[in-house]
Amino acid sequence: MTDLFNALGIADDATGGSLSVRSPIDGAEIGRVRTTDPAAMEGMILRAQEAFRVWREVPAPRRGELVRLLGEELRAAKADLGALVTLEAGKITSEGLGEVQEMIDICDFAVGLSRQLYGLTIASERPGHRMMETWHPMGPCAVISAFNFPVAVWSWNAALALVCGNPVIWKPSEKTPLTAIASMKILGRALARFGDAPEGLVQLAIGGPEIGETLVASSAIPIVSATGSTRMGRIVGPRVAARFGRPILELGGNNAMIVAPSADLDMAVRAIVFSAVGTAGQRCTSLRRLIVHHSVRDELVGRLVKAYGSLRIGDPRAEGTLVGPLIDTASRDRMVAALDRARAEGGTVHGGQVVEGVPGGAYIQPALVEMPAQTGVVCEETFAPILYIMGYETLDEAIALQNAVPQGLSSCIFTLNLREAEAFVSAAGSDCGIANVNIGPSGAEIGGAFGGEKETGGGRESGSDAWRGYMRRQTNTINWSSALPLAQGVRFDI
Amino acid sequence: MTDLFNALGIADDATGGSLSVRSPIDGAEIGRVRTTDPAAMEGMILRAQEAFRVWREVPAPRRGELVRLLGEELRAAKADLGALVTLEAGKITSEGLGEVQEMIDICDFAVGLSRQLYGLTIASERPGHRMMETWHPMGPCAVISAFNFPVAVWSWNAALALVCGNPVIWKPSEKTPLTAIASMKILGRALARFGDAPEGLVQLAIGGPEIGETLVASSAIPIVSATGSTRMGRIVGPRVAARFGRPILELGGNNAMIVAPSADLDMAVRAIVFSAVGTAGQRCTSLRRLIVHHSVRDELVGRLVKAYGSLRIGDPRAEGTLVGPLIDTASRDRMVAALDRARAEGGTVHGGQVVEGVPGGAYIQPALVEMPAQTGVVCEETFAPILYIMGYETLDEAIALQNAVPQGLSSCIFTLNLREAEAFVSAAGSDCGIANVNIGPSGAEIGGAFGGEKETGGGRESGSDAWRGYMRRQTNTINWSSALPLAQGVRFDI
Amino acid sequence: MTDLFNALGIADDATGGSLSVRSPIDGAEIGRVRTTDPAAMEGMILRAQEAFRVWREVPAPRRGELVRLLGEELRAAKADLGALVTLEAGKITSEGLGEVQEMIDICDFAVGLSRQLYGLTIASERPGHRMMETWHPMGPCAVISAFNFPVAVWSWNAALALVCGNPVIWKPSEKTPLTAIASMKILGRALARFGDAPEGLVQLAIGGPEIGETLVASSAIPIVSATGSTRMGRIVGPRVAARFGRPILELGGNNAMIVAPSADLDMAVRAIVFSAVGTAGQRCTSLRRLIVHHSVRDELVGRLVKAYGSLRIGDPRAEGTLVGPLIDTASRDRMVAALDRARAEGGTVHGGQVVEGVPGGAYIQPALVEMPAQTGVVCEETFAPILYIMGYETLDEAIALQNAVPQGLSSCIFTLNLREAEAFVSAAGSDCGIANVNIGPSGAEIGGAFGGEKETGGGRESGSDAWRGYMRRQTNTINWSSALPLAQGVRFDI
Amino acid sequence: MTDLFNALGIADDATGGSLSVRSPIDGAEIGRVRTTDPAAMEGMILRAQEAFRVWREVPAPRRGELVRLLGEELRAAKADLGALVTLEAGKITSEGLGEVQEMIDICDFAVGLSRQLYGLTIASERPGHRMMETWHPMGPCAVISAFNFPVAVWSWNAALALVCGNPVIWKPSEKTPLTAIASMKILGRALARFGDAPEGLVQLAIGGPEIGETLVASSAIPIVSATGSTRMGRIVGPRVAARFGRPILELGGNNAMIVAPSADLDMAVRAIVFSAVGTAGQRCTSLRRLIVHHSVRDELVGRLVKAYGSLRIGDPRAEGTLVGPLIDTASRDRMVAALDRARAEGGTVHGGQVVEGVPGGAYIQPALVEMPAQTGVVCEETFAPILYIMGYETLDEAIALQNAVPQGLSSCIFTLNLREAEAFVSAAGSDCGIANVNIGPSGAEIGGAFGGEKETGGGRESGSDAWRGYMRRQTNTINWSSALPLAQGVRFDI
């Protein structure tokens, strides 16, 4: 650990502070981090505003160069940062590395964007007039991230925000400040090579809810990108709206897979297991509901029970481990409680036993729960590896079940039948922001826009034109004629 | 008036109700309209939801056909509907007709969109995978409109919403229900020709705040497009956000023009007068602030005072009238009070005298107010023809003044100097959603996106890709291979 | 006929000329049309250039208004113009009307485009610089159309060209001048209502190859949109290229359908029959090759032979007729010759017998030809209702067969299997410009770009952004700073 | 030189061949390179086709990874490759480095594209149908490049072609094979790191016209991107068109600058000198014509004559040199002849004297030629540092002059007057593919599309969506319903 901290240059930052950081692997303290004094937030926000006034005038391709350098530094630090993700968030090694790869990918993508940020030129109805629409930097962007993607979510936001001309203030989860600090060090190396970025371009604010609340409340921060629970979003969204800020919310999911009669069950089993137990079920896109056609239900459940039985649970650093710890024991308690409630609502639970794993960590067997119906507990997101299984007879019924939860993040269908697949992604199909065919709900590529509807909050990040969420649109009409015609043929002769 | 009501088929609707409608021209009652029973709102919303389930599956070009027919019917009814706008909202004839033309234009535009609604196909990082992004209908859309554009704003929203697959529930201003009813009759003719649209596709809810509140509160209405004051938006936005709906807010503006030394003053004078006194200063894009370079200030003010002196004020139906009544006497009172406050803050007022016009109407001379600085009253939107005038020395100073109000709708500069014009529309220039050069802030073409930042609410309507505000984005990844690779190179082998 | 001619206002134009027009229905002369004197072409081209200088500065939405009026006039004349298409080109009534509907659709679409014609604003790498890309009118556009879509192809080109700011010179097929004249009359009504279009905005040049050659050779005509045979395109393309003009070529197709084991055979049979015998096999997108999986081949062929046996052949005006005449006896002779060659190459012919139909017309039974392999005759386009049938075992084999012809217009697969469908539209699938699933190769919607690769010529018309083919792209960089930085960091200090 | 060759790994390649390579700096032979046996071309083309079948199925983001690695390797080799460009093409050091920077920039841009390559999803008019447009790899792409950008032009094409899924066969100028070989070595390092690219993905064919002709003639090469003279393009274009290939032509320019009365003359002088004498006037975008308002003509000419007088001419490797040698003595002879002709047509020549520079090199003073009118010699592109100067009175006249040459590549105006600037970039303004304001015609950023109209050939490369030139567009309609409706409402009931 010392080596790792040294390699990442965070050894000093990991000691002497008041915030105790514990690894979910064994519950041991791995650092004591200094928190940001809430009284310092005002200065931080001021610096971000000042940085904005400089950064917005730096040409976007030059801003992209900073992000390119960040990508290079991330490549260089990939193994170390990935290992720290594993240590601090408890992900298995491959997922820790995958998270850093996602950071790298978004940097590459953002570099390309930096010569685009396309607006439109538009045909005007008036002679001697030119219309266009340009996208301009917006101002400081607060990024509030969660423990489960302690660094990737920041990079999604920061890479775009920086290219778009916005400073960033990052409030990571209190549970994962070390990966945040390490990411800032990596960024620092990129900044040093870049040369002349303004002070305060990217700042880190470590601490509890009061830090987040300051960011949410400040009208000097037009963009608040917040990833977390629906409960959090229900508070943040209206507050940001009340001050006419722009929230980008990535909240809860309750992601389902429909398994149709024609599904390739080999693929489905693998997709289900990865989606449901990967990151110990703590992804916002984790698979939580399985809607299986009656004709294949028994076989599928049988194979899943078997596959679940063979999952290696334990130290996420160990080769072969597929299920690491939950983030903490409270999380495990919530899972146990949800399983109890599921039983009470008629469910049959497979797995779900607390296991020792590494002493001090919150290890538990992922659970399959056969439900008689989509009851109350199924409609809630329990952030843990529980997969509820329900049957269906017609595709309409399956889609209705899929849509009958308040969340709207990710969804998928396994089928080889063209009509079913198309129905699922059609206007009357899945109501989620992500709807896949023959892949699980989890593990999106960065090239698409990421986010969802309903209680998921409506935000979009990452690819496609999600960058627009970080800019303001301006419609320009330039009259270069010597006349002053009015639109819609209005006459007004003085 | 009877002829007009008969021509528009609203004679029956204009009598027997409890809501008294008065023409601002003379304050006389022109109708008594039945209001919607708040208890009926639930049924109305249910019908909209049912209509949604049908309409979302009607192909968009077919939906466009309805909008095309609406455009045809609007063309046929243009003179009558324009006259009713004049009667009910008090606009001069040319502006009443212009408003209907805007409805027609948006219909034409939306018809074209109906074969587009473009999403993206996107290169996937995985072999045998296909990515795309499609836009789907969203659900019922509430349109809350204001008196000053009693029908155009509805048509902006309705034309797009319908083409996008959404039913509409319209709550017009209590002051202008007759134009709303007339618009529904016109739509009714289009629907009759169309043939098989679902019941309840477009519904009208007439009444006071409780109607609007129901729409704002209902989670069955994902989109609430509300045009009105910032005060209203500050309530609506958070409420809609709290239930994870999508607000489209078009709120107050405090629109400025910078007049640079090189400005074509002939054009500037005409643009100023139209922008500041058109619709009696009751456009959301009305010019409210004039920021004039010291070198041309005296000349410009002199010419404006003269032009203002020659404005014909009175019955908006009369040929030659350029300034009709304010919507009501309360509005006139607020203008008078604002002028008093301006004087108290050091301003010199030209004009602003109450005039008789037509007895019973709230007529008043538009006012020019020379201000020593951008004081408190200037930073507020008074919905009346007051134009505050301030001087500047450097362009940076002028842009800072322009941006130093809480609203962010429309703005413009008059200059023949390329560098000034470009600076104004650059990242460090105007912070408004609309920034024009050598045309006033008012009178946007429908081809651009309409809306603004900060307290203007951030919504966009009308052209460009504002239609996306009425749809939900879905990211699809289709795996048609027989393998199941994970993104970011993650390995998870069970 | 006289009534029809009067209704369309072409009675005078249909007499007194030197070009005899015969109806393919019965071979009777239906008119004698005046041809354009080749010596007059120079003047015509000059007028087009002059019209261009005016029209290019008319705002695009105003240009769109002309196209909107054309759409209205086409709606009013639909029945008559459709009947004339039937009379002059021999299509059945429903197809004649469908052709006019296509004209109407493209007008609606083009009207929408007229407020778009979107270019891009682009992030610049230099401070104080702005980049954009605008699309400008290009110049006169020659449209050379064929008999089989005597008016729709013109409207596809003309609606876009007009909205894009280009005059049009139309050379219709010598076989179908009357529908062209009638279309010009309809356009004339739109022009009269429009008011102030320049003289010579759309001109008609009737005659033989020398007319077309003049258009192809003239460097005053930057765009030549030519629809016809590959033989023609092989001449036109290089000639236009040699003078640095822009050809838009829509040439031959040799369109195939793959019928997979899982195909819905009911749908397939209907799609095949319409695609192969509609317009008597004289569409550029007509189905010409059927590639059937061995497992369903016998059943499918049996059903097709039966369906072909029941096709009503004869006067295309008669209710119930599905197969009208070929355009002339030479065309029928070519079909007979092709069938002979197919037999010589091992084929078994079903149908293909000459039938009387209406005396004087070239009627013939559509033919199904079972081929042992994709021999020489199959690789050529015979513009007549011949459908060659071949078997396949693996999808790769079927796709290879599909792609192994020199033409690349349209293609399709019938399958309910997702993997097969996706493979067909993937990078390694069909090499055609159009690739459909579960619909025939024929009958494209106007919302997509229409055209194909290889010997089909590479042109695109109709929807998507095919309009760009009618405009020139201009990249603009505006330096509004006081400095002169060079791109790529080059230093050059004098 | 040996060190340089060793550093670039081309020492072995630079000896033993039959093609003598001479540095324009001193005319000395710097290498003897092996040429490609024309008989080997068939095999090369076959390998490219085979590579295509593999590469087109590699996911685009993975293809982008190769281009990203190429960018990294170019960064590492920048100094060396830049020096070799200087040695082989005679550019000054800063321009040699700038050329490599351009390669790096396009790689970064192409990496971003690799997760985009956006097509459209499109609203279909038929229920249960889905439309989309996808872009697929096209096939091998021949790149024929010229001596003046010996490596950047290849990289523009190769970076896009590779990301788009196409193999590349590169035929560099016979005058600059060493830089080509060095670029291939650099690419080789990227390929080695990449790992599993197919054999023959990028191939180099060195030699004379017969090599180019084979590429132009081969129907196995769908795309031929050729940069060079109009004379060359006039041959290549029709030949490629005749076999239905797709030419991307970047041919001659005859680029003008209009200097208006309000121009910032300090900036103009610097821009003119760089644009006209940079790369010794051997850029396709070199400034060749100066159209100056009479009011500023004398002053501007005076300043230019003075600036030209101070230009340091000589060894391009020497610090401070701004004008290196022409590529060869034939080129210098053509310049001398053009100046003679200009004198004969009434021109007054300033400069244009042959100077010694480095013995063996073709050095000459850049020339300013005051012309009485735009005579014949002015309308031709002489690939050397001649700048013709003409006067104008009205902007219309200036624009007419600008447009009155057969070439249409780049153009610019220097003015601070908004109306003039806008007129210049409007539909009636410059007819070039590039039209700048207050920057010279030369030195485009890679973010915009590069290319021009008329005899420039119409091709577009580099930024914006120039990538589409390397792909084929496919329009897909997917019917997932159980019905078979026809477009345009056609009925065809069997």
Side-chain angles (χ1 to χ4, degrees), chain C residues 234 238 454-455, chain D residues 142 214-224 238-246:
Chain C
R234 209 184 292 275
K454 301 195 294 185
E455 292 195 357
Chain D
T214 307
L215 295 170
V216 166
S218 169
S219 60
I221 300 178
I223 306 168
V224 177
R239 283 202 193 154
V240 175
R243 61 167 175 86
F244 296 108
R246 186 190 291 173

Side-chain angles (χ1 to χ4, degrees), chain A residues 56-57 92 94-95 98 101-102 105 120 122-126 129 131-134 136-138 230 233-234 237-238 241-242 244 246 249 251 267 269-271 273-274 277-278 307 311 322 414 425-439 443-449 453-455 457 460 464-465 468 472-479 481-484 486-488 490-494, chain B residues 56-57 92 94-95 98 101-102 105 120 122-126 129 131-134 136-138 230 233-234 237-238 241-242 244 246 249 251 267 269-271 273-274 277-278 307 311 322 414 425-439 443-449 453-455 457 460 464-465 468 472-479 481-484 486-488 490-494:
Chain A
R56 67 180 176 179
E57 296 196 72
I92 64 171
S94 168
E95 291 186 332
Q101 186 58 46
E102 202 162 328
D105 288 349
L120 297 176
I122 304 176
S124 166
E125 75 188 47
R126 289 176 280 194
H129 285 55
M131 279 178 77
M132 66 177 175
E133 168 174 293
T134 45
H136 287 315
M138 188 83 185
T230 290
R234 209 184 292 275
F244 296 108
R246 186 189 292 173
L249 301 179
L251 311 175
M267 279 174 62
V269 167
R270 291 181 53 226
V273 176
F274 170 68
V277 316
L311 291 170
L322 291 178
F414 269 69
V425 301
S426 77
S430 164
D431 65 359
C432 289
I434 298 172
N436 294 335
V437 176
N438 295 332
I439 52 175
E445 298 187 21
I446 62 96
E453 303 302 328
K454 302 195 295 185
E455 292 195 356
R460 288 298 185 282
S464 181
D465 60 1
R468 289 179 171 199
R472 63 186 174 92
R473 182 200 300 245
Q474 189 172 80
T475 304
N476 304 119
T477 309
I478 317 298
N479 176 10
S481 76
S482 307
L484 202 76
L486 302 178
Q488 294 95 41
V490 169
R491 301 290 309 266
F492 198 92
D493 299 321
I494 56 172
Chain B
R56 68 179 175 178
E57 296 196 69
I92 65 172
S94 168
E95 291 186 332
Q101 186 60 46
E102 203 162 327
D105 289 349
L120 297 176
I122 302 175
S124 166
E125 75 188 46
R126 288 175 279 193
H129 285 57
M131 278 179 77
M132 67 178 174
E133 167 174 294
T134 45
H136 287 314
M138 186 82 185
T230 290
R234 210 184 292 276
F244 296 108
R246 187 190 293 174
L249 300 178
L251 310 176
M267 279 174 60
V269 168
R270 293 180 53 226
V273 177
F274 170 69
V277 316
L311 291 169
L322 290 179
F414 269 69
V425 303
S426 77
S430 165
D431 66 359
C432 289
I434 298 173
N436 294 334
V437 176
N438 294 332
I439 53 175
E445 299 186 21
I446 61 97
E453 302 303 328
K454 301 194 296 185
E455 292 195 357
R460 288 298 185 282
S464 181
D465 60 1
R468 288 180 171 198
R472 63 184 173 94
R473 182 201 299 246
Q474 189 172 80
T475 304
N476 305 119
T477 309
I478 317 298
N479 176 10
S481 75
S482 306
L484 201 76
L486 302 179
Q488 294 95 41
V490 170
R491 302 290 309 265
F492 198 92
D493 298 320
I494 57 171

Side-chain angles (χ1 to χ4, degrees), chain A residues 68-76 104 108 193, chain D residues 64-79 100-101 103-108 111 186-187 189-191 193-194:
Chain A
R68 194 189 67 76
L69 293 168
L70 174 58
E72 276 194 11
E73 297 297 336
L74 284 165
R75 279 184 167 89
I104 294 167
D108 288 352
R193 289 170 62 193
Chain D
E65 174 65 6
L66 173 59
V67 174
R68 195 189 66 77
L69 293 170
L70 173 59
E72 276 194 11
E73 296 297 337
L74 283 166
R75 278 184 167 89
K78 181 175 174 180
V100 184
Q101 186 59 47
M103 302 173 83
I104 293 167
D105 288 349
I106 195 74
C107 287
D108 287 352
V111 172
I186 291 166
L187 174 66
R189 288 198 284 277
L191 281 163
R193 289 170 61 193
F194 181 76

Side-chain angles (χ1 to χ4, degrees), chain C residues 92-135:
Chain C
I92 64 171
T93 299
S94 168
E95 290 186 331
L97 294 171
E99 176 154 4
V100 184
Q101 186 58 46
E102 203 163 327
M103 302 173 83
I104 293 166
D105 289 349
I106 194 73
C107 287
D108 288 353
F109 183 77
V111 171
L113 284 182
S114 75
R115 288 186 184 270
Q116 302 185 334
L117 302 179
Y118 294 142
L120 298 176
T121 60
I122 303 176
S124 166
E125 75 187 45
R126 289 177 278 193
H129 284 58
R130 182 171 61 75
M131 279 179 78
M132 67 177 174
E133 166 174 295
T134 46
W135 292 88

Side-chain angles (χ1 to χ4, degrees), chain A residues 368-385:
Chain A
L368 293 162
V369 188
E370 295 187 82
M371 295 299 295
Q374 192 160 275
T375 62
V377 73
V378 182
C379 294
E380 292 176 14
E381 180 191 33
T382 301
F383 217 60

Side-chain angles (χ1 to χ4, degrees), chain D residues 147-148 253-255 275-289 308 323-339 352 362-369 380-388:
Chain D
F147 76 86
N148 63 327
N254 193 348
N255 317 293
S275 304
V277 317
T279 324
Q282 298 172 118
R283 290 184 172 216
C284 44
T285 54
S286 286
L287 179 65
R288 310 207 177 282
R289 297 181 296 140
Y308 268 55
V323 185
L326 291 180
I327 188 68
D328 54 24
T329 51
S331 191
R332 187 168 64 183
D333 293 346
R334 280 191 293 271
M335 173 162 168
V336 170
L339 292 177
Y363 295 85
I364 187 166
Q365 290 175 334
L368 293 162
V369 188
E380 291 176 13
E381 180 191 34
T382 301
F383 217 61
I386 303 176
L387 180 62
Y388 300 105

Side-chain angles (χ1 to χ4, degrees), chain C residues 56-57 92 94-95 98 101-102 105 120 122-126 129-134 136-138 230 233-234 237-238 241-242 244 246 249 251 267 269-271 273-274 277-278 307 311 322 414 422 424-439 443-449 453-455 457 460 464-466 468 472-479 481-484 486-494, chain D residues 56-57 92 94-95 98 101-102 105 120 122-126 129-134 136-138 230 233-234 237-238 241-242 244 246 249 251 267 269-271 273-274 277-278 307 311 322 414 422 424-439 443-449 453-455 457 460 464-466 468 472-479 481-484 486-494:
Chain C
R56 68 179 175 177
E57 296 196 71
I92 64 171
S94 168
E95 290 186 331
Q101 186 58 46
E102 203 163 327
D105 289 349
L120 298 176
I122 303 176
S124 166
E125 75 187 45
R126 289 177 278 193
H129 284 58
R130 182 171 61 75
M131 279 179 78
M132 67 177 174
E133 166 174 295
T134 46
H136 287 315
M138 186 83 186
T230 290
R234 209 184 292 275
F244 296 107
R246 187 191 292 174
L249 301 178
L251 310 175
M267 280 175 61
V269 167
R270 291 182 54 226
V273 176
F274 170 69
V277 316
L311 291 169
L322 289 179
F414 269 68
E422 293 285 345
F424 184 71
V425 302
S426 77
S430 165
D431 65 0
C432 288
I434 298 172
N436 295 334
V437 177
N438 294 333
I439 54 175
E445 298 186 24
I446 61 97
E453 303 302 329
K454 301 195 294 185
E455 292 195 357
R460 288 298 186 281
S464 181
D465 60 0
R468 288 179 170 199
R472 62 185 174 93
R473 181 201 300 244
Q474 189 171 80
T475 305
N476 305 120
T477 309
I478 317 298
N479 176 10
S481 76
S482 307
L484 201 76
L486 302 179
Q488 293 95 41
V490 170
R491 301 291 310 266
F492 197 92
D493 298 320
I494 57 173
Chain D
R56 68 180 175 177
E57 296 196 72
I92 64 171
S94 168
E95 291 186 331
Q101 186 59 47
E102 203 163 326
D105 288 349
L120 298 175
I122 303 175
S124 166
E125 75 187 45
R126 289 175 279 195
H129 285 57
R130 183 170 60 78
M131 278 179 76
M132 66 177 175
E133 167 174 295
T134 45
H136 287 314
M138 187 81 185
T230 290
R234 209 184 292 277
F244 296 108
R246 186 190 291 173
L249 300 178
L251 311 176
M267 278 174 61
V269 166
R270 291 181 54 226
V273 176
F274 171 68
V277 317
L311 290 170
L322 290 178
F414 269 69
E422 293 285 346
F424 183 71
V425 301
S426 78
S430 165
D431 65 0
C432 289
I434 298 172
N436 294 334
V437 177
N438 295 333
I439 53 174
E445 297 186 23
I446 62 96
E453 303 301 329
K454 300 195 296 184
E455 292 196 356
R460 287 299 185 283
S464 180
D465 59 1
R468 289 180 172 198
R472 63 186 174 91
R473 182 200 300 246
Q474 188 171 80
T475 305
N476 304 119
T477 309
I478 317 298
N479 176 9
S481 76
S482 306
L484 202 76
L486 302 178
Q488 292 95 43
V490 170
R491 302 290 309 268
F492 197 92
D493 299 319
I494 56 172

Side-chain angles (χ1 to χ4, degrees), chain B residues 136-196:
Chain B
H136 287 314
M138 186 82 185
C141 171
V143 179
I144 299 174
S145 61
F147 76 87
N148 64 327
F149 279 90
V151 287
V153 164
W154 165 73
S155 73
W156 286 9
N157 282 281
L160 294 193
L162 287 172
V163 158
C164 291
N166 304 328
V168 171
I169 300 178
W170 180 15
K171 187 216 159 298
S173 165
E174 276 177 284
K175 295 182 195 300
T176 54
L178 288 173
T179 44
I181 293 169
S183 297
M184 291 295 287
K185 299 284 177 185
I186 291 166
L187 174 65
R189 289 198 284 277
L191 281 163
R193 289 171 62 193
F194 181 76
D196 56 355

